[in-house]
Coordinates of all heavy atoms in Angstrom, one line a residue:
M209 N 0.8 -1.2 0.0 CA 0.0 0.0 0.0 C 0.9 1.2 0.0 O 1.9 1.3 0.6 CB -0.9 0.0 1.2 CG -1.9 1.1 1.3 SD -3.0 0.9 2.7 CE -3.8 2.5 2.7
S210 N 0.5 2.3 -0.7 CA 1.3 3.5 -0.8 C 1.2 4.3 0.5 O 0.3 4.1 1.3 CB 0.8 4.3 -2.0 OG -0.5 4.7 -1.8
D211 N 2.1 5.3 0.6 CA 2.0 6.2 1.7 C 0.7 6.9 1.8 O 0.0 7.1 0.8 CB 3.1 7.2 1.6 CG 4.5 6.6 1.8 OD1 4.6 5.5 2.3 OD2 5.5 7.2 1.4
A212 N 0.3 7.2 3.0 CA -1.0 8.0 3.2 C -0.8 9.4 2.5 O 0.2 10.0 2.6 CB -1.3 8.2 4.7
A213 N -1.9 9.8 1.9 CA -1.9 11.1 1.3 C -1.9 12.2 2.4 O -2.5 12.0 3.4 CB -3.2 11.3 0.4
H214 N -1.1 13.2 2.1 CA -1.1 14.4 3.0 C -1.0 15.6 2.2 O -0.2 15.7 1.2 CB 0.1 14.2 4.0 CG 0.0 15.2 5.1 ND1 0.2 16.5 5.0 CD2 -0.3 14.9 6.4 CE1 0.1 17.1 6.2 NE2 -0.3 16.2 7.1
C215 N -1.7 16.7 2.6 CA -1.6 18.0 1.9 C -0.2 18.5 1.7 O 0.1 19.1 0.7 CB -2.5 19.0 2.6 SG -4.2 18.6 2.7
A216 N 0.7 18.2 2.7 CA 2.0 18.7 2.6 C 2.8 18.1 1.5 O 3.9 18.6 1.1 CB 2.7 18.5 4.0
R217 N 2.4 16.9 1.0 CA 3.1 16.2 0.0 C 2.2 16.1 -1.3 O 2.3 15.1 -2.0 CB 3.5 14.8 0.4 CG 4.4 14.8 1.6 CD 4.8 13.4 1.9 NE 3.7 12.5 2.3 CZ 3.2 12.4 3.5 NH1 3.7 13.0 4.5 NH2 2.2 11.5 3.7
C218 N 1.3 17.1 -1.5 CA 0.3 17.0 -2.6 C 0.3 18.3 -3.4 O 0.5 19.3 -2.8 CB -1.1 16.7 -2.0 SG -2.3 16.5 -3.3
D219 N 0.0 18.2 -4.7 CA -0.1 19.4 -5.5 C -1.5 20.0 -5.5 O -1.9 20.6 -6.4 CB 0.3 19.0 -7.0 CG 1.8 18.8 -7.2 OD1 2.5 19.2 -6.3 OD2 2.1 18.3 -8.2
A220 N -2.2 19.8 -4.4 CA -3.5 20.4 -4.2 C -4.4 19.9 -5.3 O -5.2 20.8 -5.9 CB -3.4 21.9 -4.1
V221 N -4.4 18.7 -5.7 CA -5.2 18.2 -6.8 C -6.7 18.3 -6.5 O -7.5 18.4 -7.5 CB -4.8 16.8 -7.3 CG1 -3.4 16.8 -7.8 CG2 -5.0 15.8 -6.2
C222 N -7.1 18.3 -5.3 CA -8.5 18.5 -5.0 C -9.0 19.9 -5.4 O -10.2 20.1 -5.6 CB -8.8 18.3 -3.5 SG -7.8 19.3 -2.4
C223 N -8.0 20.8 -5.5 CA -8.4 22.2 -5.9 C -8.6 22.3 -7.4 O -8.6 23.5 -8.0 CB -7.4 23.2 -5.4 SG -7.3 23.2 -3.6
R224 N -8.7 21.2 -8.1 CA -9.1 21.2 -9.5 C -10.5 20.6 -9.7 O -11.0 20.5 -10.8 CB -8.1 20.4 -10.4 CG -6.7 21.0 -10.4 CD -5.7 20.2 -11.3 NE -5.9 20.6 -12.7 CZ -6.1 19.8 -13.7 NH1 -6.3 18.5 -13.4 NH2 -6.2 20.2 -14.9
L225 N -11.1 20.3 -8.6 CA -12.5 19.8 -8.6 C -13.4 20.9 -8.7 O -13.1 22.0 -8.3 CB -12.7 18.9 -7.4 CG -11.9 17.6 -7.3 CD1 -12.1 17.0 -5.9 CD2 -12.2 16.7 -8.4
T226 N -14.6 20.6 -9.1 CA -15.7 21.7 -9.1 C -16.1 21.9 -7.7 O -16.5 21.0 -7.0 CB -16.9 21.2 -10.0 OG1 -16.4 20.9 -11.3 CG2 -18.0 22.3 -10.0
V227 N -16.1 23.1 -7.2 CA -16.5 23.5 -5.9 C -17.8 24.3 -6.0 O -17.9 25.4 -6.4 CB -15.4 24.4 -5.2 CG1 -15.9 24.9 -3.8 CG2 -14.1 23.6 -5.1
V228 N -18.9 23.6 -5.6 CA -20.2 24.2 -5.6 C -20.4 25.0 -4.3 O -20.2 24.4 -3.2 CB -21.3 23.1 -5.8 CG1 -22.7 23.7 -5.8 CG2 -21.1 22.3 -7.1
L229 N -20.7 26.2 -4.5 CA -20.9 27.1 -3.3 C -22.2 26.9 -2.7 O -23.2 26.7 -3.3 CB -20.6 28.5 -3.7 CG -19.2 28.8 -4.2 CD1 -19.1 30.1 -4.9 CD2 -18.2 28.6 -3.1
Q230 N -22.2 27.1 -1.3 CA -23.5 27.0 -0.5 C -23.9 28.4 -0.1 O -23.0 29.3 -0.1 CB -23.2 26.2 0.7 CG -22.6 24.8 0.4 CD -23.5 23.9 -0.4 OE1 -24.7 23.8 -0.1 NE2 -23.0 23.4 -1.5
P231 N -25.1 28.6 0.2 CA -25.6 29.9 0.6 C -24.8 30.5 1.8 O -24.6 31.7 1.9 CB -27.1 29.7 1.1 CG -27.5 28.4 0.3 CD -26.2 27.6 0.2
E232 N -24.2 29.6 2.7 CA -23.5 30.1 3.8 C -22.1 30.6 3.4 O -21.4 31.3 4.2 CB -23.3 29.0 4.8 CG -24.6 28.3 5.3 CD -24.9 27.1 4.5 OE1 -25.0 27.2 3.2 OE2 -25.0 26.0 5.1
D233 N -21.6 30.3 2.2 CA -20.3 30.7 1.8 C -20.2 32.2 1.5 O -21.2 32.7 1.0 CB -19.8 29.9 0.6 CG -19.6 28.4 0.9 OD1 -19.1 28.1 2.0 OD2 -19.9 27.6 0.0
A234 N -19.1 32.8 2.0 CA -19.0 34.2 1.7 C -17.7 34.4 0.9 O -16.6 34.8 1.5 CB -18.9 35.0 3.0
I235 N -17.8 34.1 -0.3 CA -16.6 34.1 -1.2 C -16.7 35.4 -2.1 O -17.7 35.7 -2.7 CB -16.5 32.9 -2.1 CG1 -16.7 31.6 -1.3 CG2 -15.3 32.9 -3.0 CD1 -15.6 31.4 -0.3
P236 N -15.6 36.1 -2.2 CA -15.6 37.3 -3.1 C -16.1 36.9 -4.5 O -15.7 35.9 -5.1 CB -14.2 37.8 -3.1 CG -13.6 37.3 -1.8 CD -14.3 36.0 -1.6
E237 N -17.0 37.8 -5.0 CA -17.7 37.4 -6.3 C -16.7 37.2 -7.4 O -16.9 36.4 -8.3 CB -18.7 38.6 -6.6 CG -19.8 38.2 -7.5 CD -20.7 37.0 -7.0 OE1 -20.9 36.9 -5.8 OE2 -21.1 36.2 -7.9
H238 N -15.6 37.9 -7.4 CA -14.6 37.8 -8.5 C -13.9 36.5 -8.6 O -13.3 36.1 -9.5 CB -13.6 39.0 -8.5 CG -12.6 38.9 -7.4 ND1 -12.9 39.3 -6.1 CD2 -11.3 38.4 -7.4 CE1 -11.8 39.1 -5.4 NE2 -10.9 38.6 -6.1
L239 N -14.1 35.7 -7.5 CA -13.5 34.3 -7.4 C -14.5 33.3 -7.8 O -14.1 32.1 -7.8 CB -12.9 34.0 -6.0 CG -11.8 35.0 -5.5 CD1 -11.4 34.6 -4.1 CD2 -10.6 34.9 -6.4
T240 N -15.7 33.6 -8.2 CA -16.7 32.7 -8.5 C -17.3 32.9 -9.9 O -17.0 33.9 -10.5 CB -17.9 32.8 -7.4 OG1 -18.7 33.9 -7.7 CG2 -17.3 32.9 -6.0
T241 N -18.0 31.9 -10.3 CA -18.7 32.0 -11.6 C -20.0 31.1 -11.5 O -20.2 30.4 -10.5 CB -17.8 31.5 -12.7 OG1 -18.4 31.8 -14.0 CG2 -17.5 30.0 -12.7
H242 N -20.8 31.2 -12.5 CA -22.0 30.4 -12.6 C -21.9 29.5 -13.8 O -21.5 29.9 -14.9 CB -23.2 31.3 -12.7 CG -23.6 32.0 -11.5 ND1 -23.1 33.2 -11.1 CD2 -24.5 31.6 -10.5 CE1 -23.6 33.6 -9.9 NE2 -24.4 32.7 -9.5
L243 N -22.2 28.2 -13.6 CA -22.3 27.3 -14.7 C -23.6 27.6 -15.5 O -24.5 28.3 -15.1 CB -22.4 25.8 -14.2 CG -21.2 25.3 -13.3 CD1 -21.5 23.9 -12.9 CD2 -19.9 25.4 -14.1
D244 N -23.6 27.0 -16.7 CA -24.8 27.2 -17.6 C -26.0 26.7 -16.8 O -27.1 27.2 -17.1 CB -24.6 26.5 -18.9 CG -23.6 27.2 -19.8 OD1 -23.2 28.3 -19.5 OD2 -23.1 26.5 -20.7
S245 N -25.8 25.7 -16.0 CA -27.0 25.1 -15.2 C -27.5 26.1 -14.1 O -28.5 25.8 -13.5 CB -26.5 23.8 -14.6 OG -25.5 24.1 -13.6
G246 N -26.7 27.1 -13.9 CA -27.1 28.0 -12.8 C -26.3 27.8 -11.5 O -26.4 28.7 -10.6
L247 N -25.6 26.7 -11.4 CA -24.8 26.5 -10.1 C -23.8 27.5 -9.9 O -23.1 27.9 -10.9 CB -24.1 25.1 -10.2 CG -24.9 23.9 -9.8 CD1 -24.1 22.6 -10.0 CD2 -25.5 23.9 -8.4
H248 N -23.7 28.0 -8.7 CA -22.7 29.0 -8.3 C -21.4 28.2 -7.8 O -21.5 27.4 -6.9 CB -23.2 29.9 -7.2 CG -22.4 31.1 -6.9 ND1 -22.5 31.8 -5.8 CD2 -21.5 31.8 -7.7 CE1 -21.7 32.8 -5.8 NE2 -21.1 32.8 -7.0
V249 N -20.3 28.4 -8.5 CA -19.1 27.6 -8.2 C -17.9 28.5 -8.1 O -17.9 29.7 -8.5 CB -18.9 26.6 -9.3 CG1 -20.1 25.6 -9.4 CG2 -18.6 27.2 -10.6
M250 N -16.8 27.9 -7.5 CA -15.5 28.6 -7.6 C -15.1 28.7 -9.0 O -15.2 27.7 -9.7 CB -14.5 27.9 -6.7 CG -14.7 28.0 -5.2 SD -14.7 29.7 -4.5 CE -13.0 30.1 -4.8
A251 N -14.5 29.8 -9.4 CA -14.0 29.9 -10.8 C -12.7 29.2 -10.9 O -12.0 29.0 -9.9 CB -13.8 31.4 -11.2
R252 N -12.4 28.7 -12.1 CA -11.1 28.1 -12.3 C -10.3 28.7 -13.4 O -10.9 29.4 -14.3 CB -11.3 26.6 -12.6 CG -12.0 25.9 -11.5 CD -11.8 24.4 -11.6 NE -12.1 23.9 -12.9 CZ -12.9 22.8 -13.1 NH1 -13.5 22.2 -12.1 NH2 -13.1 22.4 -14.3
D253 N -9.0 28.6 -13.4 CA -8.2 29.2 -14.4 C -8.1 28.3 -15.7 O -8.8 27.2 -15.7 CB -6.8 29.5 -13.9 CG -6.0 28.3 -13.5 OD1 -6.3 27.2 -13.9 OD2 -5.0 28.5 -12.8
D254 N -7.4 28.7 -16.7 CA -7.3 28.0 -17.9 C -6.8 26.5 -17.7 O -7.1 25.7 -18.6 CB -6.4 28.7 -18.9 CG -7.1 30.0 -19.4 OD1 -8.3 30.1 -19.3 OD2 -6.4 30.8 -19.9
E255 N -6.0 26.3 -16.7 CA -5.5 25.0 -16.5 C -6.3 24.1 -15.5 O -6.0 23.0 -15.2 CB -4.0 25.1 -15.9 CG -3.1 25.7 -17.0 CD -1.7 25.9 -16.5 OE1 -1.5 25.8 -15.3 OE2 -0.8 26.1 -17.3
G256 N -7.4 24.7 -15.1 CA -8.3 24.0 -14.2 C -8.2 24.2 -12.7 O -9.0 23.6 -12.0
W257 N -7.2 25.0 -12.3 CA -7.1 25.2 -10.9 C -8.1 26.2 -10.4 O -8.3 27.2 -11.1 CB -5.7 25.6 -10.5 CG -4.6 24.7 -11.0 CD1 -3.8 24.8 -12.1 CD2 -4.2 23.5 -10.3 NE1 -3.0 23.7 -12.2 CE2 -3.2 22.9 -11.1 CE3 -4.6 22.9 -9.2 CZ2 -2.5 21.7 -10.8 CZ3 -4.0 21.7 -8.8 CH2 -3.0 21.1 -9.6
C258 N -8.5 26.0 -9.2 CA -9.4 27.0 -8.5 C -8.6 28.4 -8.5 O -7.4 28.4 -8.2 CB -9.7 26.6 -7.1 SG -10.5 27.8 -6.1
V259 N -9.3 29.4 -8.8 CA -8.6 30.7 -8.9 C -8.2 31.2 -7.5 O -7.4 32.2 -7.4 CB -9.4 31.8 -9.6 CG1 -9.7 31.5 -11.0 CG2 -10.8 32.0 -8.8
A260 N -8.7 30.6 -6.4 CA -8.2 31.0 -5.1 C -7.0 30.3 -4.6 O -6.4 30.6 -3.6 CB -9.3 30.7 -4.1
L261 N -6.5 29.4 -5.5 CA -5.3 28.6 -5.1 C -4.0 29.5 -5.2 O -3.9 30.3 -6.2 CB -5.1 27.4 -6.0 CG -3.9 26.5 -5.7 CD1 -4.1 25.7 -4.4 CD2 -3.6 25.6 -6.9
D262 N -3.2 29.5 -4.2 CA -1.9 30.2 -4.2 C -1.0 29.3 -5.0 O -0.4 28.4 -4.4 CB -1.5 30.5 -2.8 CG -0.1 31.2 -2.7 OD1 0.6 31.2 -3.8 OD2 0.2 31.8 -1.7
G263 N -0.7 29.6 -6.2 CA 0.1 28.7 -7.1 C 1.5 28.6 -6.7 O 2.2 27.6 -7.0
A264 N 2.0 29.6 -6.0 CA 3.4 29.6 -5.6 C 3.6 28.6 -4.4 O 4.6 27.9 -4.3 CB 3.9 31.0 -5.1
R265 N 2.6 28.6 -3.5 CA 2.7 27.7 -2.4 C 1.9 26.4 -2.5 O 1.9 25.5 -1.6 CB 2.3 28.4 -1.1 CG 3.2 29.6 -0.8 CD 2.7 30.4 0.4 NE 3.6 31.4 0.7 CZ 3.3 32.5 1.4 NH1 2.1 32.7 1.8 NH2 4.2 33.5 1.6
M266 N 1.0 26.4 -3.5 CA 0.1 25.3 -3.7 C -0.8 25.1 -2.5 O -0.9 23.9 -2.0 CB 0.8 24.0 -4.1 CG 1.5 24.1 -5.5 SD 0.5 24.7 -6.8 CE -0.4 23.3 -7.3
N267 N -1.3 26.1 -2.0 CA -2.3 26.0 -0.9 C -3.3 27.1 -1.1 O -3.2 27.9 -2.0 CB -1.6 26.1 0.5 CG -0.9 27.4 0.7 OD1 -1.1 28.4 0.1 ND2 0.1 27.3 1.7
C268 N -4.4 27.0 -0.3 CA -5.5 27.8 -0.5 C -5.2 29.3 -0.1 O -4.8 29.5 1.1 CB -6.7 27.3 0.4 SG -8.2 28.2 0.2
G269 N -5.5 30.2 -1.0 CA -5.3 31.6 -0.7 C -6.4 32.2 0.2 O -6.2 33.4 0.6
I270 N -7.5 31.5 0.4 CA -8.6 32.0 1.2 C -8.9 31.0 2.3 O -10.1 30.8 2.6 CB -9.8 32.4 0.3 CG1 -10.3 31.1 -0.4 CG2 -9.5 33.5 -0.6 CD1 -11.7 31.3 -1.1
Y271 N -7.9 30.4 2.8 CA -8.1 29.2 3.7 C -9.1 29.5 4.8 O -9.9 28.7 5.1 CB -6.7 28.8 4.3 CG -6.8 27.5 5.1 CD1 -6.8 26.3 4.4 CD2 -6.8 27.5 6.5 CE1 -6.9 25.1 5.1 CE2 -6.9 26.4 7.2 CZ -7.0 25.1 6.5 OH -7.0 24.0 7.2
E272 N -8.9 30.7 5.5 CA -9.8 30.9 6.6 C -11.3 31.1 6.3 O -12.1 30.9 7.1 CB -9.3 32.2 7.4 CG -7.9 32.1 8.0 CD -7.8 31.0 9.0 OE1 -8.8 30.7 9.7 OE2 -6.8 30.3 9.1
S273 N -11.5 31.4 5.0 CA -12.9 31.6 4.6 C -13.3 30.7 3.4 O -14.2 31.0 2.7 CB -13.1 33.1 4.2 OG -12.3 33.4 3.1
R274 N -12.5 29.6 3.3 CA -12.8 28.7 2.2 C -14.2 28.1 2.2 O -14.8 28.0 3.3 CB -11.7 27.6 2.2 CG -11.8 26.6 3.3 CD -10.5 25.8 3.4 NE -10.5 24.8 4.4 CZ -10.4 25.0 5.7 NH1 -10.3 26.2 6.2 NH2 -10.4 23.9 6.6
P275 N -14.7 27.7 1.1 CA -16.1 27.2 1.1 C -16.3 25.9 1.9 O -15.4 25.2 2.2 CB -16.3 26.8 -0.4 CG -15.3 27.6 -1.2 CD -14.1 27.7 -0.2
L276 N -17.5 25.7 2.3 CA -17.9 24.6 3.1 C -17.4 23.3 2.5 O -16.9 22.4 3.2 CB -19.4 24.5 3.3 CG -20.0 25.4 4.4 CD1 -21.5 25.3 4.4 CD2 -19.5 25.0 5.8
I277 N -17.6 23.1 1.2 CA -17.3 21.8 0.6 C -15.8 21.6 0.7 O -15.4 20.4 0.8 CB -17.8 21.8 -0.9 CG1 -17.8 20.4 -1.4 CG2 -17.0 22.7 -1.8 CD1 -18.5 20.3 -2.8
C278 N -15.0 22.6 0.7 CA -13.5 22.4 0.8 C -13.2 22.0 2.3 O -12.3 21.2 2.5 CB -12.8 23.7 0.5 SG -13.1 24.3 -1.2
R279 N -14.0 22.6 3.2 CA -13.7 22.2 4.6 C -14.1 20.8 4.9 O -13.5 20.1 5.8 CB -14.6 23.1 5.6 CG -14.2 24.6 5.5 CD -15.2 25.4 6.2 NE -14.9 26.8 6.0 CZ -14.1 27.6 6.7 NH1 -13.5 27.0 7.8 NH2 -13.8 28.8 6.4
R280 N -15.0 20.2 4.1 CA -15.5 18.9 4.4 C -14.7 17.8 3.6 O -14.9 16.6 3.9 CB -16.9 18.8 4.0 CG -17.8 19.5 4.9 CD -19.3 19.5 4.5 NE -20.1 20.2 5.4 CZ -21.3 20.7 5.1 NH1 -21.8 20.5 3.9 NH2 -22.0 21.4 6.0
F281 N -13.8 18.2 2.8 CA -13.0 17.3 2.0 C -12.0 16.7 2.9 O -11.1 17.3 3.5 CB -12.3 18.0 0.9 CG -11.7 17.1 -0.2 CD1 -12.5 16.7 -1.3 CD2 -10.4 16.6 -0.1 CE1 -12.0 15.9 -2.2 CE2 -9.9 15.7 -1.0 CZ -10.7 15.4 -2.1
V282 N -12.0 15.3 3.1 CA -11.2 14.6 4.1 C -9.9 14.2 3.5 O -9.8 13.4 2.6 CB -12.0 13.4 4.6 CG1 -11.1 12.7 5.7 CG2 -13.3 13.8 5.2
M283 N -8.8 14.8 4.1 CA -7.5 14.4 3.7 C -7.3 12.9 3.9 O -7.6 12.4 4.9 CB -6.4 15.2 4.5 CG -5.0 14.9 4.0 SD -3.8 15.9 4.9 CE -3.9 15.1 6.6
N284 N -6.8 12.3 2.8 CA -6.5 10.8 2.8 C -7.8 10.0 2.9 O -7.7 8.8 3.2 CB -5.5 10.4 3.9 CG -4.9 9.1 3.6 OD1 -4.5 8.7 2.5 ND2 -4.7 8.3 4.7
G285 N -8.9 10.6 2.7 CA -10.2 9.9 2.7 C -10.3 9.2 1.3 O -9.4 9.4 0.4
P286 N -11.3 8.4 1.1 CA -11.4 7.6 -0.1 C -11.5 8.5 -1.4 O -10.9 8.2 -2.4 CB -12.8 6.9 0.0 CG -13.0 6.8 1.5 CD -12.3 8.0 2.1
Y287 N -12.2 9.7 -1.3 CA -12.3 10.6 -2.4 C -11.0 11.2 -2.7 O -10.5 11.4 -3.9 CB -13.4 11.6 -2.2 CG -13.8 12.3 -3.4 CD1 -13.8 11.8 -4.7 CD2 -14.3 13.6 -3.3 CE1 -14.2 12.5 -5.8 CE2 -14.7 14.3 -4.4 CZ -14.6 13.8 -5.7 OH -15.0 14.5 -6.8
C288 N -10.3 11.7 -1.6 CA -9.0 12.3 -1.8 C -8.0 11.3 -2.5 O -7.4 11.7 -3.5 CB -8.4 12.6 -0.4 SG -6.7 13.0 -0.3
R289 N -8.0 10.1 -2.1 CA -7.1 9.1 -2.7 C -7.5 8.8 -4.1 O -6.6 8.7 -5.0 CB -7.0 7.8 -1.9 CG -6.4 8.0 -0.5 CD -5.9 6.7 0.2 NE -7.0 5.8 0.3 CZ -7.9 5.7 1.3 NH1 -7.7 6.6 2.3 NH2 -8.8 4.8 1.4
Q290 N -8.8 8.8 -4.4 CA -9.3 8.5 -5.8 C -8.8 9.7 -6.7 O -8.4 9.5 -7.8 CB -10.8 8.4 -5.8 CG -11.4 8.1 -7.2 CD -10.9 6.7 -7.7 OE1 -11.2 5.7 -7.1 NE2 -10.2 6.7 -8.8
V291 N -9.0 10.9 -6.2 CA -8.7 12.1 -7.1 C -7.2 12.1 -7.3 O -6.7 12.4 -8.4 CB -9.1 13.3 -6.3 CG1 -8.6 14.6 -7.0 CG2 -10.7 13.4 -6.3
R292 N -6.4 11.7 -6.3 CA -4.9 11.7 -6.5 C -4.5 10.6 -7.5 O -3.7 10.8 -8.4 CB -4.2 11.5 -5.2 CG -4.2 12.7 -4.3 CD -3.9 12.4 -2.8 NE -2.6 11.6 -2.8 CZ -1.4 12.2 -2.7 NH1 -1.3 13.5 -2.6 NH2 -0.3 11.4 -2.6
D293 N -5.2 9.5 -7.4 CA -4.9 8.4 -8.4 C -5.3 8.8 -9.8 O -4.5 8.5 -10.7 CB -5.7 7.1 -8.0 CG -5.1 6.5 -6.7 OD1 -4.0 6.8 -6.3 OD2 -5.8 5.6 -6.2
D294 N -6.4 9.4 -9.9 CA -6.8 9.9 -11.3 C -5.9 10.9 -11.8 O -5.5 10.9 -13.0 CB -8.2 10.5 -11.2 CG -9.3 9.5 -11.0 OD1 -9.0 8.3 -11.0 OD2 -10.5 9.9 -10.7
Y295 N -5.4 11.8 -10.9 CA -4.5 12.9 -11.4 C -3.2 12.2 -11.8 O -2.6 12.6 -12.9 CB -4.2 13.8 -10.2 CG -3.3 15.0 -10.5 CD1 -3.8 16.0 -11.3 CD2 -2.1 15.0 -10.0 CE1 -2.9 17.1 -11.6 CE2 -1.2 16.1 -10.2 CZ -1.7 17.1 -11.0 OH -0.9 18.2 -11.3
A296 N -2.7 11.2 -11.1 CA -1.5 10.6 -11.4 C -1.6 9.8 -12.8 O -0.7 9.7 -13.5 CB -1.0 9.6 -10.3
A297 N -2.8 9.3 -13.0 CA -3.1 8.6 -14.3 C -3.5 9.5 -15.4 O -3.7 9.0 -16.5 CB -4.2 7.6 -14.0
G298 N -3.5 10.8 -15.2 CA -3.8 11.8 -16.2 C -5.3 11.9 -16.5 O -5.7 12.4 -17.6
E299 N -6.1 11.4 -15.6 CA -7.6 11.5 -15.8 C -8.1 12.8 -15.1 O -7.5 13.2 -14.1 CB -8.3 10.3 -15.3 CG -7.9 9.0 -16.1 CD -8.4 7.8 -15.4 OE1 -9.3 7.9 -14.6 OE2 -7.8 6.7 -15.7
D300 N -9.2 13.3 -15.5 CA -9.8 14.5 -15.0 C -11.2 14.2 -14.6 O -12.0 13.9 -15.4 CB -9.7 15.6 -16.0 CG -10.1 17.0 -15.4 OD1 -10.6 17.0 -14.3 OD2 -10.0 18.0 -16.2
R301 N -11.5 14.3 -13.2 CA -12.8 14.1 -12.7 C -13.7 15.4 -12.6 O -14.8 15.3 -12.2 CB -12.8 13.5 -11.3 CG -12.5 12.0 -11.3 CD -12.5 11.5 -9.9 NE -12.4 10.0 -10.1 CZ -13.5 9.2 -9.9 NH1 -14.6 9.7 -9.5 NH2 -13.3 7.9 -10.0
S302 N -13.1 16.5 -13.0 CA -13.8 17.7 -12.8 C -14.8 17.9 -13.9 O -14.8 17.4 -14.9 CB -12.8 18.9 -12.8 OG -12.1 18.9 -14.0
I303 N -15.8 18.8 -13.5 CA -16.9 19.1 -14.5 C -16.3 20.3 -15.3 O -15.8 21.3 -14.7 CB -18.1 19.6 -13.7 CG1 -18.6 18.4 -12.8 CG2 -19.2 20.0 -14.7 CD1 -19.7 18.8 -11.9
P304 N -16.4 20.2 -16.6 CA -15.9 21.4 -17.4 C -16.6 22.7 -17.0 O -17.8 22.7 -16.9 CB -16.2 21.0 -18.8 CG -16.4 19.5 -18.8 CD -17.0 19.2 -17.4
L305 N -15.9 23.7 -16.8 CA -16.4 25.0 -16.5 C -16.1 26.0 -17.6 O -15.1 25.8 -18.3 CB -15.8 25.6 -15.2 CG -16.0 24.8 -13.9 CD1 -15.4 25.6 -12.8 CD2 -17.5 24.6 -13.7
R306 N -16.9 27.0 -17.7 CA -16.4 28.1 -18.6 C -15.4 28.9 -17.8 O -15.6 29.1 -16.6 CB -17.6 28.9 -19.1 CG -18.4 29.6 -18.1 CD -19.6 30.3 -18.7 NE -20.6 30.7 -17.7 CZ -20.5 31.9 -17.1 NH1 -19.6 32.7 -17.3 NH2 -21.5 32.2 -16.2
T307 N -14.4 29.4 -18.4 CA -13.4 30.1 -17.7 C -13.8 31.6 -17.6 O -14.7 32.0 -18.3 CB -12.0 30.0 -18.4 OG1 -12.1 30.3 -19.7 CG2 -11.5 28.5 -18.3
L308 N -13.1 32.3 -16.8 CA -13.4 33.7 -16.6 C -13.1 34.5 -17.9 O -12.2 34.2 -18.7 CB -12.6 34.3 -15.5 CG -12.9 33.8 -14.1 CD1 -12.0 34.4 -13.1 CD2 -14.4 34.1 -13.8
Ligands
SF4_539 S1 -11.3 27.6 -2.2 FE1 -9.3 27.0 -1.5 S2 -9.5 24.9 -0.7 FE2 -11.3 25.3 -2.0 S3 -10.7 24.6 -4.1 FE3 -10.2 26.8 -4.0 S4 -8.0 26.8 -3.4 FE4 -8.8 24.8 -2.9

């Protein structure tokens, strides 16, 4: 079995997933967008990373106020490990978004 996944040894691959915002989230509007379906989500850049990601440090630039769904993402949980495996295999589980 491989080593346990840890944020300190990860390229923040979970920050390429679609982050659907909840009414309780207070995210600056310029960091968000709406899908054609109407869902309010975190915006992503041309390479698929959440625009709130600090690319130099590969960590969340709005950590203290990050969305609920990001707070609930369990490090080394089944979904975390699946996303990392997909990323390593070159697969993309994210929902295509229109870019800013
Ligand atoms: S808000 Fe922060 S934790 Fe959530 S996907 Fe964006 S960079 Fe990652």
Side-chain angles (χ1 to χ4, degrees):
M209 185 173 166
S210 61
D211 290 343
H214 193 287
C215 295
R217 299 184 300 273
C218 179
D219 286 345
V221 295
C222 57
C223 297
R224 297 181 83 237
L225 297 172
T226 302
V227 175
V228 178
L229 297 170
Q230 306 299 309
E232 307 93 300
D233 291 324
I235 308 300
E237 203 59 36
H238 72 279
L239 298 177
T240 76
T241 190
H242 287 85
L243 300 180
D244 291 342
S245 63
L247 277 179
H248 193 200
V249 298
M250 290 298 294
R252 296 199 315 228
D253 65 18
D254 289 341
E255 296 178 343
W257 301 100
C258 173
V259 295
L261 183 71
D262 177 344
R265 297 178 178 155
M266 295 310 279
N267 60 22
C268 181
I270 57 167
Y271 187 78
E272 295 302 324
S273 59
R274 68 196 186 284
L276 278 177
I277 196 171
C278 302
R279 295 171 188 271
R280 291 178 180 157
F281 196 89
V282 179
M283 183 178 71
N284 199 41
Y287 193 33
C288 168
R289 293 197 305 271
Q290 181 66 60
V291 169
R292 285 166 52 89
D293 288 348
D294 288 351
Y295 183 72
E299 297 170 17
D300 187 355
R301 280 184 172 255
S302 60
I303 301 169
L305 297 184
R306 59 187 168 85
T307 54
L308 293 176

